[in-house]
Amino acid sequence: MSMTSNKAYLVRAFYDWIVDNDCTPYIVADAFYPGVAVPQQHVSDGQIVLNLAPRAITSLVMDNRIISFTTRFGGVPSTIELPVQSILGIYARENGQGMMFEPETGHDPQPPAGPGPVKSVPSKEKPSGGTAGDSGKKPSLRIVK
Protein backbone atom coordinates (compact mmCIF):
# COMPACT_ATOMS: atom_id res chain seq x y z
CA MET A 1 0.00 0.00 0.00
CA SER A 2 1.37 3.41 -0.98
CA MET A 3 1.27 6.16 1.63
CA THR A 4 1.21 9.92 1.14
CA SER A 5 4.27 12.02 1.91
CA ASN A 6 4.85 12.72 5.60
CA LYS A 7 6.55 16.08 4.93
CA ALA A 8 3.44 18.23 5.57
CA TYR A 9 2.81 16.45 8.87
CA LEU A 10 6.43 16.83 9.98
CA VAL A 11 6.55 20.53 9.04
CA ARG A 12 3.38 21.22 11.06
CA ALA A 13 4.68 19.22 14.03
CA PHE A 14 8.06 20.99 14.04
CA TYR A 15 6.36 24.38 13.63
CA ASP A 16 4.16 23.73 16.68
CA TRP A 17 7.10 22.38 18.70
CA ILE A 18 9.30 25.39 17.89
CA VAL A 19 6.54 27.92 18.70
CA ASP A 20 5.55 26.06 21.90
CA ASN A 21 9.16 26.39 23.05
CA ASP A 22 9.12 30.18 22.50
CA CYS A 23 11.53 29.98 19.58
CA THR A 24 11.32 31.50 16.09
CA PRO A 25 10.41 29.05 13.30
CA TYR A 26 12.31 29.54 10.05
CA ILE A 27 11.42 27.65 6.86
CA VAL A 28 13.87 27.05 4.01
CA ALA A 29 12.22 26.60 0.61
CA ASP A 30 13.30 25.86 -2.96
CA ALA A 31 12.39 29.21 -4.53
CA PHE A 32 12.30 27.70 -8.03
CA TYR A 33 9.84 24.90 -7.26
CA PRO A 34 6.66 25.26 -9.37
CA GLY A 35 3.96 27.23 -7.56
CA VAL A 36 6.29 29.06 -5.16
CA ALA A 37 5.40 32.76 -4.77
CA VAL A 38 8.10 34.67 -2.86
CA PRO A 39 9.84 38.04 -3.24
CA GLN A 40 12.48 37.39 -5.88
CA GLN A 41 14.97 39.88 -4.44
CA HIS A 42 15.29 37.71 -1.29
CA VAL A 43 16.19 34.49 -3.11
CA SER A 44 19.79 33.30 -2.66
CA ASP A 45 21.25 30.27 -4.44
CA GLY A 46 17.74 29.19 -5.44
CA GLN A 47 16.52 29.13 -1.84
CA ILE A 48 14.67 31.47 0.48
CA VAL A 49 14.58 31.46 4.28
CA LEU A 50 11.38 32.81 5.84
CA ASN A 51 10.52 33.76 9.41
CA LEU A 52 7.19 32.17 10.36
CA ALA A 53 6.96 33.62 13.88
CA PRO A 54 3.28 34.18 14.74
CA ARG A 55 4.00 37.88 15.45
CA ALA A 56 5.48 38.31 11.94
CA ILE A 57 2.73 36.67 9.87
CA THR A 58 -1.04 36.41 9.52
CA SER A 59 -3.47 34.13 7.72
CA LEU A 60 -1.21 31.08 8.11
CA VAL A 61 -2.40 27.99 6.24
CA MET A 62 -0.47 24.73 6.61
CA ASP A 63 -2.27 21.89 4.93
CA ASN A 64 -1.10 18.78 3.11
CA ARG A 65 -0.39 20.63 -0.14
CA ILE A 66 0.57 24.25 0.62
CA ILE A 67 1.93 26.63 3.24
CA SER A 68 0.72 30.18 2.76
CA PHE A 69 0.70 33.31 4.88
CA THR A 70 0.74 37.08 4.73
CA THR A 71 3.74 39.07 5.92
CA ARG A 72 5.56 42.32 5.23
CA PHE A 73 8.69 42.86 3.17
CA GLY A 74 10.00 46.39 3.58
CA GLY A 75 6.63 47.42 5.01
CA VAL A 76 4.67 46.11 2.01
CA PRO A 77 2.09 43.39 2.82
CA SER A 78 2.69 40.28 0.69
CA THR A 79 1.15 36.83 0.41
CA ILE A 80 3.67 33.98 0.33
CA GLU A 81 2.78 30.58 -1.15
CA LEU A 82 4.95 27.49 -0.75
CA PRO A 83 3.89 24.07 -2.03
CA VAL A 84 4.81 21.54 0.67
CA GLN A 85 7.14 19.82 -1.82
CA SER A 86 9.22 23.03 -2.01
CA ILE A 87 10.07 22.95 1.72
CA LEU A 88 13.71 22.02 2.33
CA GLY A 89 13.73 22.46 6.10
CA ILE A 90 12.27 23.98 9.23
CA TYR A 91 14.30 25.00 12.27
CA ALA A 92 14.42 27.25 15.32
CA ARG A 93 16.46 30.41 14.73
CA GLU A 94 17.72 30.46 18.31
CA ASN A 95 19.36 27.01 18.39
CA GLY A 96 19.12 25.50 14.89
CA GLN A 97 17.03 22.56 16.08
CA GLY A 98 14.62 21.25 13.46
CA MET A 99 14.64 19.07 10.37
CA MET A 100 15.99 19.29 6.84
CA PHE A 101 14.37 17.39 3.95
CA GLU A 102 15.71 15.97 0.71
CA PRO A 103 14.86 18.18 -2.27
CA GLU A 104 11.90 16.90 -4.29
CA THR A 105 12.76 15.66 -7.76
CA GLY A 106 10.89 16.03 -10.98
CA HIS A 107 11.38 19.71 -11.72
CA ASP A 108 14.05 21.89 -13.29
CA PRO A 109 15.90 23.41 -10.30
CA GLN A 110 16.42 26.76 -12.03
CA PRO A 111 13.80 27.52 -14.67
CA PRO A 112 14.54 30.64 -16.71
CA ALA A 113 11.48 32.47 -15.34
CA GLY A 114 12.66 32.29 -11.71
CA PRO A 115 10.34 32.19 -8.70
CA GLY A 116 6.79 33.42 -9.01
CA PRO A 117 5.94 36.96 -7.98
CA VAL A 118 4.60 37.81 -4.56
CA LYS A 119 0.92 38.69 -4.44
CA SER A 120 0.21 42.09 -2.98
CA VAL A 121 -2.41 42.28 -0.26
CA PRO A 122 -5.09 44.97 -0.57
CA SER A 123 -4.33 47.79 1.86
CA LYS A 124 -7.45 47.10 3.95
CA GLU A 125 -6.02 43.68 4.96
CA LYS A 126 -3.23 44.66 7.33
CA PRO A 127 -1.22 41.75 8.78
CA SER A 128 -0.81 41.76 12.55
CA GLY A 129 2.98 41.74 12.12
CA GLY A 130 2.90 45.51 12.34
CA THR A 131 0.90 48.60 11.55
CA ALA A 132 1.34 51.53 9.24
CA GLY A 133 2.80 53.45 12.19
CA ASP A 134 5.69 50.99 12.49
CA SER A 135 7.62 52.60 9.64
CA GLY A 136 10.61 53.32 11.91
CA LYS A 137 11.06 49.62 12.77
CA LYS A 138 12.84 47.02 10.71
CA PRO A 139 10.55 44.29 9.34
CA SER A 140 10.37 41.07 11.38
CA LEU A 141 11.12 38.88 8.36
CA ARG A 142 14.85 38.45 7.81
CA ILE A 143 16.98 36.40 5.44
CA VAL A 144 19.46 34.04 7.10
CA LYS A 145 22.55 33.11 5.11
Side-chain angles (χ1 to χ4, degrees), residues 33-47:
Y33 195 89
V36 169
V38 296
Q40 298 178 23
Q41 67 272 26
H42 296 291
V43 173
S44 177
D45 296 325
Q47 298 180 354

Side-chain angles (χ1 to χ4, degrees), residues 24 26 42 48-51 55-56 72-73 91 93 138-145:
T24 308
Y26 275 28
H42 296 291
I48 189 163
V49 179
L50 299 163
N51 175 351
R55 68 185 176 279
R72 291 177 181 268
F73 285 92
Y91 64 94
R93 180 191 71 192
K138 288 187 175 180
S140 298
L141 191 65
R142 287 180 275 173
I143 302 300
V144 177
K145 294 185 181 187

Side-chain angles (χ1 to χ4, degrees), residues 53-112:
R55 68 185 176 279
I57 63 174
T58 60
S59 306
L60 176 64
V61 173
M62 285 184 145
D63 62 26
N64 289 348
R65 65 173 193 82
I66 197 161
I67 295 172
S68 67
F69 55 93
T70 302
T71 191
R72 291 177 181 268
F73 285 92
V76 178
S78 303
T79 298
I80 304 299
E81 293 184 355
L82 304 167
V84 169
Q85 295 86 354
S86 72
I87 305 303
L88 300 173
I90 181 168
Y91 64 94
R93 180 191 71 192
E94 292 78 2
N95 57 24
Q97 291 189 25
M99 179 174 223
M100 296 304 286
F101 302 99
E102 290 294 320
E104 298 279 333
T105 58
H107 79 281
D108 182 359
Q110 295 200 8

